[in-house]
Amino acid sequence: MITVTALPAFTDNYLWLLDAGGHAAVVDPGDAEVVRAGLAARGLRLAAILITHHHPDHIGGLLALAAETGAAVYGPRAESSKIKGLQHLLDDHDEVRLDALGITLQVIAVPGHTLGHIAYFEPTQRLLFCGDTLFVGGCGRLFEGTPAQMLESLDRLAALPPETAVYCAHEYTLSNLDFATTVEPHNLALAEEMARVQALRAAGVPSVPSTIAHERRLNPFLRARSAEVTAAVVAQAGEEASQKLGNPIEIFGALRRWKDGHRPRVR
Ligand code: ZN
Ligand code: FE
């Protein structure tokens, strides 16, 4: 069995530490010191570093940790020119065998937030490490990709087994749920979820992981094809703009732009 631990970093990042039998892997080590402390506290040896995409808050500790520990470094081939120190370049459908931990991860290409973004899926325990693609109640900003790419990426993640645990890289849940409630003000499940997560956060407990089933129920970006979300996006766009919202990709793009301009009442 793999144990997964959240290592909080910066303002709202989670670096994910996986361990089994005294060996560890870390996903997106933005801060080397946070990982050092996490390993030391648990008496773990770092065997592998897994990178989802090239942003500094996900790779900042990579070189130092690799040099200190000799850990093998995995990351997206498509971003290898932007990430110094990658040793194993990964493409869609590749597998990452981590013998020290006794697991094999499947690589899923999820362009949108960045063009080469990948996610890692562990099929036995059903663990998904998805970086800045799918968040609890939301999705990553489209810095490099198109709405069509992100929608397809989220569709692939949504098709994973419903019980899959979703380990995303940021604690954005409350502001995401605030936006979700703006989109679907009459969705009672959202109001209940907001109260539940507010209690968790007040107690200092991460709201991550979620599950794929949970996200399919509540996350507006996985519900862009639903009658409720479609109607809300069309109403928000106004009569003239709504003429151009003819398919799920355009609805999804308008939903993402709506979120970009949304100022949450909570954080
Ligand atoms: Zn990012
Ligand atoms: Fe990030």
Side-chain angles (χ1 to χ4, degrees), residues 13 53 55 57-58 113 132 169-170 172:
N13 283 71
H53 69 293
H55 285 158
D57 60 316
H58 298 253
H113 178 67
D132 291 355
H170 291 273
Y172 288 159

Side-chain angles (χ1 to χ4, degrees), residues 177-243:
L177 289 175
D178 179 78
F179 175 70
T181 307
T182 304
V183 175
E184 294 192 75
H186 304 298
N187 186 333
L188 284 178
L190 275 176
E192 280 170 26
E193 184 59 11
M194 180 69 106
R196 190 184 72 85
V197 174
Q198 274 172 331
L200 283 182
R201 298 303 300 140
V205 179
S207 68
V208 186
S210 165
T211 64
I212 289 294
H214 182 92
E215 295 311 310
R216 290 179 61 129
R217 252 194 325 271
L218 292 181
N219 189 322
F221 294 95
L222 296 192
R223 292 170 45 72
R225 291 180 184 83
S226 73
E228 296 90 335
V229 172
T230 300
V233 169
V234 167
Q236 166 72 10
E239 186 143 359
E240 214 169 305
S242 70
Q243 308 283 311

